Amino acid sequence: MSEYTFAILFFGLFIFMGVNWFIFSRISIPRIDKQMIDDGQARACPIDIVGLRVMMIAGAISLPVGNIFNHEDDPLIDVKALRPYGTVFDRRVGLLLSLSIYSLLIVGLVGVFYF
């Protein structure tokens, strides 16, 4: 793989992640927060550390519970309370967002060490 192929892959993943991030953070999260507040619960993840909230909610909704990326005992998010509020659309966009974030991380690390 040449540097140009790597750059195209990296920036393509970056744009794909950005589009999914925008869709998930502007469409899914406000609706989920509103539904949870209407049901008398707290927001899904009350702490937002430079976009970590979007990533955590996407992973909590879309990834299977019990793995390293989504575990039930996370102190920042209540996975059990959040999962019923995710629709099929939210799960799909969240999965695409989670996969693109982790793929971008892997491609970036490989690029740093090999190029």
Side-chain angles (χ1 to χ4, degrees):
M1 179 188 285
S2 69
E3 290 92 7
Y4 298 114
T5 308
F6 167 76
I8 290 170
L9 178 63
F10 184 81
F11 287 115
L13 276 170
F14 185 75
I15 290 170
F16 183 69
M17 182 201 66
V19 168
N20 284 316
W21 192 292
F22 182 78
I23 291 170
F24 192 76
S25 67
R26 296 296 175 199
I27 294 174
S28 297
I29 290 180
R31 186 191 49 73
I32 290 170
D33 282 342
K34 183 180 181 316
Q35 285 180 346
M36 289 184 79
I37 290 171
D38 289 347
D39 288 345
Q41 295 186 10
R43 287 174 45 186
C45 181
I47 299 172
D48 188 12
I49 306 169
V50 192
L52 181 65
R53 181 172 189 260
V54 175
M55 214 167 92
M56 290 180 70
I57 293 173
I61 289 175
S62 63
L63 299 175
V65 178
N67 61 32
I68 192 169
F69 301 113
N70 187 19
H71 53 90
E72 293 182 49
D73 301 325
D74 195 336
L76 297 177
I77 189 167
D78 188 5
V79 176
K80 287 181 182 178
L82 175 65
R83 285 183 74 91
Y85 292 99
T87 63
V88 173
F89 174 79
D90 299 334
R91 287 187 188 100
R92 288 181 181 162
V93 174
L95 181 62
L96 289 175
L97 178 60
S98 296
L99 290 176
S100 63
I101 288 170
Y102 296 125
S103 298
L104 186 66
L105 179 66
I106 291 169
V107 168
L109 287 174
V110 168
V112 165
F113 289 115
Y114 289 108
F115 294 109

